Amino acid sequence: MSDCLFCKISAGDIAADIVYQDDDCVAFRDISPKAPVHLLVIPHKHIENLYDLREEDAALMSRILLTLPKIARQQGLDQGFRTVTNTGTGGGQEVFHLHFHLLGGGSLHPI
Ligand code: 5GP
Ligand code: ZN
């Protein structure tokens, strides 16, 4: 998607502090961190949000889920971390390219 901020980060057209990437996803630091470690993990593929997922995305999403704890450990988050995915305006989503917030490194309040 040509006008999508996270597609541009995925393609390297907009700079981001990238900490991990593979064929499926890229992880970079949130520009406005809410925890000592606050990453955004996005698929390279433009998927708007969880509503936009299709059966054909099942394997991709599974691989990304399996990658989240690996990224967390690489960031030194051995005691745990939080993942948040906002879906749609009702869920507080501001960037309409599916992303997992990966947060940790401090004492997170219970939700
Ligand atoms: P959402 O509210 O859609 O779940 O989360 C979007 C996140 O993207 C926010 O936490 C916001 O701080 C982050 N963000 C917005 N623009 C940029 C940007 O240009 N670069 C980075 N690294 N993060 C961004
Ligand atoms: Zn996109």
Side-chain angles (χ1 to χ4, degrees), residues 9-107:
I9 288 176
S10 165
D13 294 336
I14 288 182
D17 188 355
I18 292 172
V19 301
Y20 175 88
Q21 57 184 326
D22 62 24
D23 289 344
D24 296 316
C25 66
V26 56
F28 53 93
R29 297 194 190 283
D30 195 294
I31 204 166
S32 178
K34 305 297 189 295
V37 176
H38 185 174
L39 307 179
L40 300 170
V41 184
I42 67 168
H44 290 295
K45 179 179 178 181
H46 181 84
I47 299 168
E48 273 202 4
N49 56 35
L50 295 180
Y51 282 139
D52 193 29
L53 281 175
R54 300 290 175 262
E55 280 298 322
E56 67 198 38
D57 300 316
L60 170 66
M61 295 309 297
S62 173
R63 290 195 299 273
I64 292 175
L65 278 181
L66 289 166
T67 302
L68 292 175
K70 296 178 187 169
I71 297 171
R73 285 198 193 281
Q74 283 180 8
Q75 293 294 311
L77 301 177
D78 293 321
Q79 300 303 311
F81 61 96
R82 174 176 292 168
T83 48
V84 175
T85 303
N86 297 325
T87 301
T89 52
Q93 186 176 11
E94 293 181 327
V95 179
F96 281 77
H97 179 128
L98 178 64
H99 51 279
F100 294 97
H101 295 259
L102 193 165
L103 303 128
S107 51

